[in-house]
């Protein structure tokens, strides 16, 4: 019992007076990188994708956005190179439109598509390439 009381006493006299003395919050105005995944042969946002886009836009509300890069990718398991390029472009546009609709500045967007070439990693088809990669560069608070 005495040991428990002395340990509790140490914690009470540790010198920390407020939570902020122990915990620091990361700046919301920092670069963000995330991926949006799609079902095969589709360029429609899933609920999880909408949530990721919405959460990111909310985090960056008070920030000055310098640049937004959106790269659409496709896996090459099926379809022609032209079809994979088209689906990559559609995915990138879909994500860019959702980001702009969520409040990110449209003029800052750079939209790319990798098509079938983007589906290969080390010469092997990567089925997880059914995605769009997003990089948002932030200058700082507005």
């Amino acid at each position: 019992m005495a040991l428990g009381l002395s340990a509790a006493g140490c914690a009470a006299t540790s010198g920390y007076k407020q939570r902020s003395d122990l915990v620091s919050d990361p700046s919301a105005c920092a670069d963000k990188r995330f991926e949006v995944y799609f079902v095969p042969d589709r360029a429609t946002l899933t609920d999880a994708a909408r949530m990721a886009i919405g959460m990111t836009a909310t985090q960056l509300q008070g920030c000055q956005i310098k640049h937004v890069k959106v790269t659409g990718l496709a896996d090459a398991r099926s379809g022609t190179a032209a079809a994979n390029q088209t689906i990559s472009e559609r995915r990138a546009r879909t994500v860019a439109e959702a980001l702009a609709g969520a409040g990110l500045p449209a003029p800052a967007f750079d939209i790319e598509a990798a098509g079938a070439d983007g589906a290969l990693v080390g010469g092997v088809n990567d089925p997880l390439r059914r995605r769009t990669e997003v990089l948002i560069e932030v200058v700082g608070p507005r």
Side-chain angles (χ1 to χ4, degrees), residues 10-97:
C10 287
T13 60
S14 67
Y16 294 111
K17 306 225 183 309
Q18 297 186 18
R19 180 181 184 277
S20 61
D21 293 337
L22 295 170
V23 179
S24 65
D25 294 324
S27 171
C29 292
D31 292 354
K32 305 287 184 199
R33 179 184 298 269
F34 65 99
E35 298 171 337
V36 175
Y37 288 88
F38 294 87
V39 296
D41 303 320
R42 303 290 269 208
T44 307
L45 293 176
T46 64
D47 290 341
R50 283 192 235 327
M51 189 180 337
I53 290 168
M55 287 174 36
T56 301
T58 298
Q59 290 173 350
L60 297 176
Q61 276 181 337
C63 305
Q64 182 179 354
I65 307 299
K66 177 181 178 184
H67 184 252
V68 180
K69 182 177 179 181
V70 182
T71 305
L73 302 166
D75 66 24
R77 291 184 305 159
S78 62
T80 64
N84 283 319
Q85 181 66 30
T86 298
I87 194 81
S88 294
E89 291 168 2
R90 287 179 43 219
R91 288 173 175 165
R93 275 194 311 271
T94 297
V95 170
E97 288 169 2

